[in-house]
Amino acid sequence: MSVRHARDDGAAARGDVRTAHQDLHSERGALRGEHPGRARNPVVKVADLAWLEFEKPDLDRAEVFARDFGFGVAARTEGELWLRGTFAGPPCVVVRRGRASRFIGPVFRAADRTDLDRLARATGTSVRDADVPGGGSTVALLDPSGFPVRVVHCAGELRALPGQRPLTLNSGPRHRRTNATQRPPREPSRIQRLGHVVLETSVFAHTLDWYLDTLGLIVSDFLFLDGQRERGPTMAFLRCDQGDRPVDHHTLAMHLGPGTGYVHSAYQVTDLDALAAGGEYLAERGYRRSWGIGRHIQGSQLFDYWRDPDRLMLEHFTDGDLFSHDLEPGWAPMSASGLAQWGPPVTRDFLGTSPSPAKVREVVAALRGDNELDPARLLGLIRAMTP
């Protein structure tokens, strides 16, 4: 069943779902008949992202960057590197030895072990042992874009580690710090937890519906191409549905594009000073900033984007929005200028719009393929993503 026709009209009539138009997170709401942004009866409702899976040929180099970026090491073998944050829970990232540096796929955390059985029955798969420190169970799936997606229930979790303390701030008449100076140390921004992953897909609508129907994600914000709103959204920020419990504005974001692949992943740090001082630490060690520091519009988080030695993009963030399940999606036009409330101009490196022979080949292949990209949409994307 497509969620495009799965709106729970009874809930809307009862007032159980609030609109998001009163300065909550978007200036606009849905028009009549537009995508509701949630499924009426999803197979399961995942609780969160568990971790992300990557391959890299050089685990030693990957570990050096990981420590500089602020990860802790949960486990290391000859072929695997498990990275963690300071919060209790599962690891943030697993890096396996492979021929090339690449993103494999996301792993979501099941709310309950029985959800894996329900998911396996609905998808014709099976529940297997999970290759995670401490043990657990998992179901392996494939989304419509071709990404391997796993849902896992872990037998145990990592204990919390000491984290960076937020600085005590003086603000206006509130003098919380007296006879003391501020000297945040120049050190890595210690990662607290995994926040979200962003993916590009050429089959956006089909993939979006799969995540809503299968994993129970719900949309916080839709973006559409200016002048093409009637054709539906081209980007979605999706959160987990945990009922009245507020969760991250987005756990997964995806947008239409000529390619299918990883865009970036984001990791929470303590506060703005930790984010900024950690950025200085990375710059001193020769790493490349992609874009930042600034504050986003959708999600509101403070951000700072960096490239690892293999040019994969990672984000430090702090102070993101938290939404409960009773907010409907916001709708806004997709534009490079609409990515931030403040900060430096968005870069071509972040947008991925720098011309190259590989990018031209990707666009040509997409226009010839069986997907949702056509010349009008491609032109709209180019205009939207032109700084």
Side-chain angles (χ1 to χ4, degrees), residues 55-344:
E55 284 186 355
K56 287 181 176 291
D58 189 338
L59 293 190
D60 291 335
R61 186 173 73 161
E63 182 176 344
V64 170
F65 171 79
R67 291 185 183 275
D68 287 344
F69 195 72
F71 289 107
V73 175
R76 172 74 192 268
T77 68
E78 181 65 25
E80 292 184 342
L81 173 64
W82 289 85
L83 304 175
R84 63 163 298 170
T86 59
F87 285 0
C92 295
V93 171
V94 56
V95 184
R96 296 190 173 90
R97 192 181 303 279
R99 293 183 178 180
S101 179
R102 67 189 186 104
F103 176 66
I104 302 302
V107 179
F108 292 88
R109 179 168 61 87
D112 189 84
R113 171 61 178 79
T114 58
D115 285 345
L116 298 184
D117 298 319
R118 185 179 303 110
L119 189 60
R121 288 194 300 270
T123 58
T125 56
S126 59
V127 180
R128 299 181 179 179
D129 291 338
D131 51 345
V132 55
S137 302
T138 186
V139 171
L141 307 169
L142 200 66
D143 79 8
S145 296
F147 279 114
V149 176
R150 290 204 291 157
V151 180
V152 67
H153 185 267
C154 296
E157 62 178 29
L158 301 170
R159 294 181 179 180
L161 296 176
Q164 288 171 311
R165 292 184 178 182
L167 296 186
T168 301
L169 303 179
N170 289 332
S171 177
R174 298 183 61 193
H175 299 156
R176 300 174 57 201
R177 190 187 79 256
T178 59
N179 297 329
T181 59
Q182 293 282 39
R183 301 292 187 270
R186 189 70 57 85
E187 62 182 5
S189 305
R190 199 169 304 172
I191 301 300
Q192 295 176 327
R193 64 183 180 92
L194 167 64
H196 63 261
V197 64
V198 180
L199 305 175
E200 177 180 346
T201 173
S202 61
V203 286
F204 170 81
H206 189 29
T207 304
L208 169 66
D209 285 357
W210 185 88
Y211 279 99
L212 305 188
D213 285 335
T214 308
L215 302 187
L217 299 180
I218 56 180
V219 176
S220 297
D221 276 292
F222 281 125
L223 301 184
F224 57 88
L225 294 178
D226 195 24
Q228 299 186 37
R229 181 167 180 169
E230 73 285 352
R231 299 192 64 182
T234 49
M235 186 166 187
F237 297 84
L238 299 91
R239 68 187 186 274
C240 296
D241 183 355
Q242 292 291 291
D244 293 334
R245 178 189 171 204
V247 299
D248 288 335
H249 170 272
H250 56 286
T251 299
L252 169 68
M254 62 178 66
H255 67 79
L256 176 66
T260 296
Y262 168 91
V263 178
H264 75 260
S265 51
Y267 306 87
Q268 181 176 289
V269 299
T270 302
D271 59 13
L272 177 57
D273 278 279
L275 181 145
E280 293 298 305
Y281 183 91
L282 288 169
E284 288 174 352
R285 279 150 183 77
Y287 298 109
R288 178 181 174 187
R289 176 179 270 127
S290 180
W291 183 36
I293 297 171
R295 186 180 283 277
H296 278 306
I297 294 179
Q298 279 76 26
S300 300
Q301 65 267 36
L302 296 163
F303 63 81
D304 195 17
Y305 293 92
W306 292 85
R307 295 283 183 179
D308 77 0
D310 300 307
R311 299 206 77 255
L312 294 179
M313 187 158 58
L314 295 87
E315 174 190 2
H316 284 143
F317 81 93
T318 190
D319 190 34
D321 290 337
L322 299 173
F323 288 173
S324 59
H325 73 122
D326 55 350
L327 269 72
E328 286 191 337
W331 287 73
M334 191 175 187
S335 70
S337 62
L339 292 172
Q341 300 179 44
W342 58 261

Side-chain angles (χ1 to χ4, degrees), residues 1-21 29-41 212-213 222 326-329 331:
M1 175 183 67
S2 170
V3 297
R4 197 171 298 277
H5 306 291
R7 184 189 185 100
D8 187 345
D9 294 319
R14 293 190 303 270
D16 296 340
V17 180
R18 294 188 304 168
T19 62
H21 323 320
L31 302 177
R32 184 177 181 85
E34 286 187 316
H35 199 303
R38 61 185 69 199
R40 181 182 299 171
N41 188 28
L212 305 188
D213 285 335
F222 281 125
D326 55 350
L327 269 72
E328 286 191 337
W331 287 73

